Amino acid sequence: MVNLGEKLRPALAGGAAGLANGFFGGGGGMLLVPLLKNQCGLDQRRAFATSVAIILPLCILSSVLYWLRGGLDLGLALPYVLGGLAGGLAGGKLFRRVNMVWLRRGFALLMLYGGGKALLF
């Protein structure tokens, strides 16, 4: 028999990621990576990759909601989307080549940078 907590924990983690994405316009993946690693026992690389797969539908949903409410300028977003696609392709190719220690450090620096910008500006 499956423990209710085993089924509820991933749903709550997904809910937290969705809430962050919807509320802040991003950041759900930063919540998911440590949760997937610590709560689900995934190694760091699988946690990063799984986070990307989980966050995609959340980003699509958030984008649609922002667009429906008039908060999304698609024309302004397009160059960023194109650059993001190119960066995502490059990052996906480099992902396996980067030492896990440096990947964790880079992720930590990205989180610190984002947090510092949020606090100061």
Side-chain angles (χ1 to χ4, degrees):
M1 183 172 213
V2 176
N3 182 347
L4 180 61
E6 289 177 25
K7 290 205 179 246
L8 192 56
R9 206 173 322 169
L12 290 173
L19 182 66
N21 244 42
F23 190 70
F24 298 116
M30 289 196 179
L31 291 173
L32 284 173
V33 171
L35 289 169
L36 288 167
K37 187 175 181 294
N38 298 328
Q39 299 296 317
C40 299
L42 294 181
D43 64 78
Q44 192 82 31
R45 284 191 197 278
R46 291 182 73 88
F48 281 125
T50 304
S51 171
V52 169
I54 293 168
I55 211 66
L56 175 63
L58 301 177
C59 289
I60 291 170
L61 176 63
S62 294
S63 296
V64 168
L65 291 173
Y66 282 122
W67 180 68
L68 289 173
R69 294 185 174 129
L72 174 60
D73 183 337
L74 290 174
L76 183 64
L78 185 60
Y80 291 93
V81 170
L82 296 174
L85 289 172
L89 182 62
K93 289 190 176 283
L94 290 171
F95 183 66
R96 283 275 178 214
R97 296 183 183 152
V98 176
N99 181 300
M100 204 61 242
V101 171
W102 289 106
L103 198 57
R104 276 195 303 269
R105 288 177 182 165
F107 183 69
L109 286 172
L110 183 64
M111 290 180 70
L112 287 170
Y113 173 76
K117 291 282 283 189
L119 285 172
L120 299 175
F121 301 104

